[in-house]
Amino acid sequence: MRRTSSFRAAYDAALGRWPGPVDSVDLPTPYGVTRVNRCGPAGAPPLVLLPGGGATSTVWGACVAAGAARAHQVHAVDLVGDPGLSVPASDRAIRSVGDLVGWLDSVLDGLGPHGPVTLAGHSYGAWIAAHYAALRPARLGRLVLLDPTQVFAGLRPGYVLRAVPMLARPTPDRIRSFLAWETRGAVLDPAWLRLQEESAGFPAVRPVTGPRPDLAGLVHPSGAGPRVDVLFAGLARCHDSGRAARAAREVLPGARVDVLPGVAHHALPLTAAEEIVRRLAR
């Protein structure tokens, strides 16, 4: 998969804003090589972070700066097929939820985590994380879903209509305009925003879509299974966050479910990092 020199420069610049040393590793999986950027004390409880579609692992830099790597070893993953430094296999594409689960199995095997994994995802990454938790609950100690899309509520038609031109024919201007609209003009990390603009030239790979995950199996009267936290963005344009939160409480009565006011969907990992880290520390 071709990456322009300007994309790589923007990626390195965004990653370079992370505090402290970052160890980048390329893990082989049946579906290609997966880039993982990790930091934090070796042997600390593992925190695996899945970004939203197109956001790359660099989106988690604000959370690292807010202290996510103080008590965890952070493993921030570039999704295979998405913009980033993961490289899909030429002969085995990810085409189903089962493939995604198999891919993430291989990633966790490669990381060799010490102790139960906290798996956290934002947006599309949360959709992947939720499916994984539903099918592999024993591998997780905790599941954290940050404004998950297509898990507890569908997408608003207006959001989809606004996103389609950008997704069908991305350009730096369209990406910038869409993010400004969705985040209601929030100030975003300029290095990450530049990387988003550079992703316009990234080869498009159709993401896996499908049904909502069946999370009923995570509800155990005995309290067994991963602990679940769900945080919705109060200003999200992609869905009705209040309605989604109510649905989450019905599906997962033992989970901690909250709506964070004043923050938009795409801005959540960037502008609400301190709140996210506080919740991870609970």
Side-chain angles (χ1 to χ4, degrees):
M1 181 172 286
R2 184 180 62 84
R3 294 164 182 80
T4 64
S5 59
S6 58
F7 176 87
R8 182 57 191 262
Y11 185 101
D12 290 344
L15 189 62
R17 292 170 67 87
W18 288 31
V22 178
D23 178 25
S24 298
V25 296
D26 292 318
L27 299 178
T29 79
Y31 301 94
V33 175
T34 299
R35 169 58 61 96
V36 180
N37 294 307
R38 62 188 182 188
C39 57
L47 170 61
V48 177
L49 299 171
L50 303 182
T56 80
S57 60
T58 68
V59 76
W60 300 109
C63 289
V64 173
R70 280 198 293 263
H72 294 89
Q73 186 176 39
V74 170
H75 306 272
V77 179
D78 278 346
L79 303 179
V80 169
D82 250 25
L85 300 187
S86 292
V87 182
S90 60
D91 59 347
R92 191 171 182 183
I94 294 178
R95 292 195 172 94
S96 67
V97 169
D99 290 340
L100 282 170
V101 170
W103 163 73
L104 196 46
D105 273 338
S106 295
V107 171
L108 294 186
D109 290 343
L111 293 175
H114 300 276
V117 171
T118 294
L119 178 62
H122 170 240
S123 189
Y124 178 61
W127 183 83
I128 297 172
H131 272 290
Y132 190 81
L135 295 171
R136 298 286 193 271
R139 295 205 70 168
L140 304 182
R142 189 175 180 189
L143 173 67
V144 180
L145 305 177
L146 301 173
D147 214 39
T149 49
Q150 304 283 59
V151 175
F152 303 106
L155 297 175
R156 281 174 164 159
Y159 174 87
V160 175
L161 288 173
R162 189 76 180 235
V164 162
M166 177 196 67
L167 296 174
R169 190 177 176 185
T171 67
D173 284 344
R174 285 182 173 179
I175 291 171
R176 191 183 312 112
S177 175
F178 177 79
L179 288 172
W181 168 77
E182 198 287 322
T183 64
R184 303 171 194 263
V187 178
L188 305 177
D189 176 4
W192 179 81
L193 188 57
R194 176 61 181 161
L195 178 58
Q196 291 298 286
E197 294 170 359
E198 287 294 335
S199 72
F202 204 86
V205 175
R206 184 178 179 85
V208 173
T209 57
R212 297 180 191 177
D214 181 3
L215 300 178
L218 297 182
V219 180
H220 294 273
S222 65
R227 186 172 133 206
V228 183
D229 297 81
V230 189
L231 181 64
F232 290 97
L235 295 180
R237 293 187 187 270
C238 56
H239 49 215
D240 183 326
S241 55
R243 181 178 177 182
R246 289 191 293 273
R249 293 185 186 106
E250 291 177 3
V251 173
L252 296 168
R256 180 187 289 118
V257 181
D258 294 299
V259 177
L260 185 62
V263 63
H265 174 77
H266 289 279
L268 184 61
L270 298 162
T271 63
E274 292 185 0
E275 180 62 26
I276 291 169
V277 170
R278 275 197 294 271
R279 289 165 185 270
L280 288 170
R282 291 179 182 175

